Amino acid sequence: MKMTGCGSCGMYMILEGAPGKSFVCMKCRLIELMEEKIRALEMQVESLVEFRKGFEQIMEQRHEVSEGKSSDLQMEAGLGNSEGRLGEESGQWKHVTKRTRQRKRRASEGELELQNRFAELENEEGAQQVVTEGDRARKKRRAVSPIGKGEELMEITPNMSPRRIQDGLKRITRENGNGKNLQPEGTGDRLENSTVTRKRQVYVIGDSLLRRIDRPVTRADPENRRVCCLPGAKIRDVDLRLKRILKGAGKNPLIILHVGTNDTARFSLESIKGDYARLGRTLKEIEAQVIFSGILPVPREGQQRCDKIMTINRWLRQWCYKEGFGMYGHWEAFMDRGQFSRDGLHLSREGNRLLGWRLAQLIKRALN
């Protein structure tokens, strides 16, 4: 047991073993993490402000261009109307007062053109011609149709839906009782190839810390949300299996990755950074929205392992911001030892519920 002072705040603590030369207590480390988060948020706010200013300038330019075009069109229309009036009334002088102009406007507004669209049908010859053309079209359809003589023919119009066409064909088949396939050519292909709009797919992929979190994560949309737990998986294992897991994921899926705990026990910092870089290149080929979940603390290990995990989390946040990925940390939420099981590595039931709830809230914010 030895009493040591923090190099940042000066508080004294009693520790086991010989601490390092530049010892920093846990509270000071948390303050450093908060300061880094604030700096990152300030950078994001500055970039959003610049983006908004540029967007407003572009919209103002478009508005000015559209106003200029509309004013030019109005001037051309006004010139055309004035020239037409001068041409019509050239050589004639009229005394126009306010009342006469109002009377003329009312008279012009009240004039309507009445036209009978069915005037051609009143003529017997026109009516006979329309009837003969309709008969010819029906005969052609009967000749092309697979239906035999004496059977009922269903006329298919372009505005009829595929489902209505199928219902009509089933009704005709049932009435005739011959069991023939009366479906028009090309209709079945159109029905089979019709695509149904799918919701956006969500995949949560990671190591054994994702056990028993599928219920809170998939409760809102079980058909479009998946939790893939790979016990003992490292970053390289996720990189190798990622494309196979995401096969058939659809367009622009949301991927949340929670991996790296097993790597911190075996590999160096440089090796872990290289594995994250390779995983990032694979994710960019998939074209998806990606969010990395921060590595959780490991209570059973010593201070050296916790310092290594905190260093990786800080680097991961900066790397995700640079590469265009998202990063969501959990370090402050899992400081309680009761959220972990007896082995000090995996989560307890309370910890599983907390992690599942946090990931479900993250998915909700990302989709909305």
Side-chain angles (χ1 to χ4, degrees), residues 8 17-18 35-36 41 65 73 101 110 122 128 131 153 159 161 170 197 204 214 255-256 281 310 314 324 327 345:
S8 179
E35 289 175 353
E36 288 181 3
L41 289 173
V65 171
L73 292 173
R101 291 173 73 182
E122 294 178 358
Q128 288 179 357
V131 171
L153 175 67
N159 296 327
S161 63
K170 288 178 181 178
T197 56
V204 182
D214 49 347
I255 304 171
I256 299 176
R281 288 192 290 270
M310 291 177 68
R314 285 197 294 268
M327 200 278 183
L345 175 64

Side-chain angles (χ1 to χ4, degrees), residues 304-352:
Q304 186 178 0
R305 177 83 175 271
C306 291
D307 293 342
K308 185 178 182 180
I309 293 174
M310 291 177 68
T311 304
I312 293 172
N313 282 336
R314 285 197 294 268
W315 174 86
L316 184 62
R317 185 177 296 277
Q318 297 174 359
W319 177 76
C320 288
Y321 182 76
K322 180 181 176 182
E323 297 294 330
F325 301 138
M327 200 278 183
Y328 188 61
H330 310 277
W331 190 272
E332 296 84 357
F334 287 88
M335 297 298 295
D336 188 3
R337 181 64 176 81
Q339 294 167 348
F340 293 86
S341 60
R342 293 181 180 179
D343 61 0
L345 175 64
H346 298 93
L347 297 174
S348 61
R349 292 191 179 275
E350 182 183 354
N352 286 324

